[in-house]
Amino acid sequence: MQGPEHYHHAGELGPLEENPIWQQENVTLCSVGIDIGSSGTQVVFSRLTLRRSGAGLATRFVVTDRHCLYESPVTFTPFRADGLIDAVTVGEILDRAYAAAALRPEVVDSGVVILTGEALRRENAERIAEIVSTRAGDFVCAAAGHHMEAALAAYGSGSARASRDTGRRILNIDIGGGTTKLSILDGGDVVATAALAVGGRLVAADAGGRVVRLEDAGREHARAAGVALELGGQVSAAGLDAIAAEMADVLTAALARDDGAAALPYLTEPIPSLAGVTGVIFSGGVAEYVYGNETRDFGDLGRRLGLALAGRLADGSIPFRLLPAGARIRATALGASEFSVQLSGPTCYVADAGTLLPRRNAQVLRPGYKLGEDVDAAEVAEAIGSQLRTFGADDNQGDLVLALDWTGRVTYKRLSALARAIVVALAARIAAGHPLLLAVDADIGHSLGAILRDELRVSTSVLVVDGLNLLNFDYIDLGRPLQPSRAIPVTIKSLAF
């Protein structure tokens, strides 16, 4: 038996994708993920399909399909002789990727340039991210941070999908050149992340055994392994084996969660309890060796570390079953290309769209409050004001997005009280002519915006996007409304510089 989509395609109505009702519920975007890490740099272009999901006041657009358009070769991240990232060469890598994909920056709707591992520590990391994001497209944002990278790798590796499809609690271990990121996934959601200074390129040597790269963390691991290293000095194959074995022991100890966790080289808080984890997926460049997909030796610790971890999986030292990975070395770039964008629903409110959109780098603040059956406008206003003061944003001259929670019935009385609270709390910003930028998690954007503009006579520009889940410390880019869905693309930049 054939479904309704078959008859729609076969009939006189034309392709389903041309149906205006279908177009309002489904959106296709072109996205890019650019990963500049300790070892490698790569670019991945994807076509994302997002569909409205949910019912009532909680509908939102979610990614339902990703089609990879182009994957660039993985090239060594270019560093200058002084240890800083070579901006010119990074730009050339990016230009070649766009040319090979036959895509222009202006057709890219969203994406992330993420600097990870040791690349994140370089003095000019922020400058590089800004340059690359400018060349990559208007809505490609720069982001960084161990927790964000861990989450992106978990999505890109397929761990999130495997956890969602099976209902299992899964551990994703992403090992790059400079850091190892741990993510716990439960029901498809990332519930905890952490990072360790363990990586495959913390130490590298040339064919003659001369040390050509030595990061501080690599020196510490070498010392713990009883190997004395100096940049430009000699290291034997046995010495590199010993350092890799020490790193594998460190990671194994972190997974054991014993009382010595505080002494391990964590870059974040230690990973919480791994109780209930039934399987592990490895990603990152070292994962190619764990799964036996790569055998070449690039003069660093990658092959040695991967083989050491494979041995610990085999002997049970790492007590989880190894699950197949959807992506390994490309996991972070794939995750960045897919999970950096949300869409506001068609019930948003936009006044003065020509001057409001697009906007970049707007700081998000999410005040904490509870809405009773009778919304207390003064109480909500105080909660918003307190959040502004806590984050030092009460005198912020830049764009500010207030992320608001809505619970309970949607009535005019309750909406009006919330609107009054907003006007009172943001009175100084409104008087100064700053636009009123709001994000709500329920589909009440148009109603709330209309009350603010038409009844409370807010004189400045007003934008209320809805159906979004934003957090403190997020920074967002807001694009122009997509037609005919009228959805507004919102690129999330969690943990931005």
Side-chain angles (χ1 to χ4, degrees):
M1 180 176 179
Q2 293 170 313
E5 289 191 10
H6 169 80
Y7 294 105
H8 192 154
H9 280 284
E12 296 180 356
L13 294 177
L16 179 63
E17 292 79 3
E18 295 181 5
N19 185 315
I21 297 176
W22 187 93
Q23 291 174 342
Q24 289 184 2
E25 302 296 312
N26 297 266
V27 174
T28 300
L29 299 175
C30 179
S31 184
V32 63
I34 303 170
D35 181 10
I36 304 174
S38 302
S39 297
T41 292
Q42 56 182 307
V43 184
V44 174
F45 295 95
S46 301
R47 180 180 293 114
L48 307 181
T49 299
L50 297 94
R51 180 176 300 167
R52 283 179 63 84
S53 175
L57 295 175
T59 62
R60 65 184 67 231
F61 283 91
V62 297
V63 176
T64 58
D65 184 60
R66 180 186 63 81
H67 173 67
C68 184
L69 299 175
Y70 175 76
E71 295 179 345
S72 77
V74 181
T75 60
F76 280 119
T77 298
F79 291 101
R80 302 187 326 218
D82 59 4
L84 300 182
I85 299 172
D86 188 331
V88 174
T89 304
V90 168
E92 292 171 352
I93 293 172
L94 189 59
D95 290 342
R96 287 197 298 269
Y98 273 77
L103 292 171
R104 301 183 311 278
E106 56 267 27
V107 305
V108 175
D109 298 298
S110 70
V112 167
V113 180
I114 182 166
L115 279 80
T116 61
E118 289 299 308
L120 175 59
R121 299 185 181 186
R122 301 300 176 185
E123 294 176 12
N124 64 350
E126 183 175 5
R127 174 65 175 161
I128 293 294
E130 291 174 352
I131 292 173
V132 176
S133 62
T134 299
R135 296 178 66 165
D138 288 342
F139 298 104
V140 178
C141 62
H146 300 302
H147 294 293
M148 184 177 187
E149 183 188 358
L152 293 178
Y155 284 119
S157 70
S159 292
R161 177 171 299 221
S163 174
R164 182 179 67 245
D165 292 347
T166 64
R168 291 178 174 179
R169 192 172 174 89
I170 291 175
L171 173 67
N172 191 87
I173 302 178
D174 184 83
I175 310 177
T179 57
T180 292
K181 282 71 59 182
L182 307 176
S183 302
I184 301 174
L185 297 107
D186 198 345
D189 294 325
V190 177
V191 297
T193 57
L196 289 147
V198 170
R201 204 163 171 80
L202 292 175
V203 178
D206 62 18
R210 184 174 64 92
V211 179
V212 295
R213 179 167 177 171
L214 180 60
E215 304 293 347
D216 290 341
R219 191 189 303 275
E220 291 301 316
H221 285 294
R223 184 178 294 115
V227 179
L229 287 187
E230 292 297 335
L231 190 63
Q234 291 295 122
V235 62
S236 66
L240 293 175
D241 287 340
I243 298 170
E246 193 276 339
M247 287 186 177
D249 288 341
V250 166
L251 181 53
T252 301
L255 302 183
R257 285 290 297 161
D258 57 22
D259 293 337
L264 297 175
Y266 270 103
L267 301 170
T268 63
E269 290 297 313
I271 194 72
S273 171
L274 297 176
V277 169
T278 59
V280 60
I281 291 176
F282 280 81
S283 60
V286 173
E288 300 290 350
Y289 298 101
V290 174
Y291 286 96
N293 295 295
E294 179 61 82
T295 59
R296 290 174 295 173
D297 192 324
F298 293 94
D300 52 27
L301 300 171
R303 183 182 64 84
R304 292 173 168 83
L305 179 57
L307 294 177
L309 292 171
R312 283 155 179 74
L313 285 163
D315 67 18
S317 299
I318 297 178
F320 308 115
R321 185 164 71 92
L322 181 63
L323 304 176
R328 293 169 297 276
I329 195 171
R330 297 189 183 277
T332 300
L334 286 169
S337 73
E338 180 171 348
F339 291 94
S340 61
V341 64
Q342 296 186 40
L343 291 181
S344 176
T347 55
C348 60
Y349 181 92
V350 187
D352 305 325
T355 58
L356 266 176
L357 299 172
R359 306 192 83 82
R360 292 172 60 86
N361 298 320
Q363 181 184 1
V364 175
L365 288 185
R366 184 174 180 174
Y369 56 80
K370 292 185 178 180
L371 297 179
E373 179 61 28
D374 291 323
V375 176
D376 188 327
E379 184 178 303
V380 176
E382 173 55 31
I384 296 173
S386 175
Q387 191 77 347
L388 292 173
R389 293 188 293 273
T390 298
F391 285 87
D394 45 344
D395 59 353
N396 190 340
Q397 297 302 304
D399 282 342
L400 190 67
V401 176
L402 200 62
L404 302 168
D405 296 323
W406 179 267
T407 56
R409 295 186 304 145
V410 180
T411 65
Y412 169 77
K413 182 179 179 181
R414 299 181 83 236
L415 279 173
S416 181
L418 178 61
R420 293 197 305 275
I422 294 167
V423 170
V424 169
L426 300 181
R429 290 184 60 84
I430 294 172
H434 294 296
L436 192 57
L437 306 175
L438 308 173
V440 291
D441 57 357
D443 291 347
I444 59 171
H446 194 274
S447 299
L448 181 61
I451 293 173
L452 288 165
R453 192 64 181 266
D454 299 337
E455 297 187 17
L456 299 183
R457 305 296 181 185
V458 172
S459 58
T460 189
S461 300
V462 176
L463 170 68
V464 188
V465 292
D466 56 19
L468 301 180
N469 182 24
L470 302 177
L471 303 172
N472 286 314
F473 301 111
D474 281 350
Y475 284 76
I476 64 174
D477 291 345
L478 298 155
R480 297 183 181 88
L482 303 174
Q483 301 299 334
S485 67
R486 304 193 308 279
I488 295 176
V490 181
T491 304
I492 314 299
K493 299 188 282 191
S494 303
L495 301 175
F497 290 104

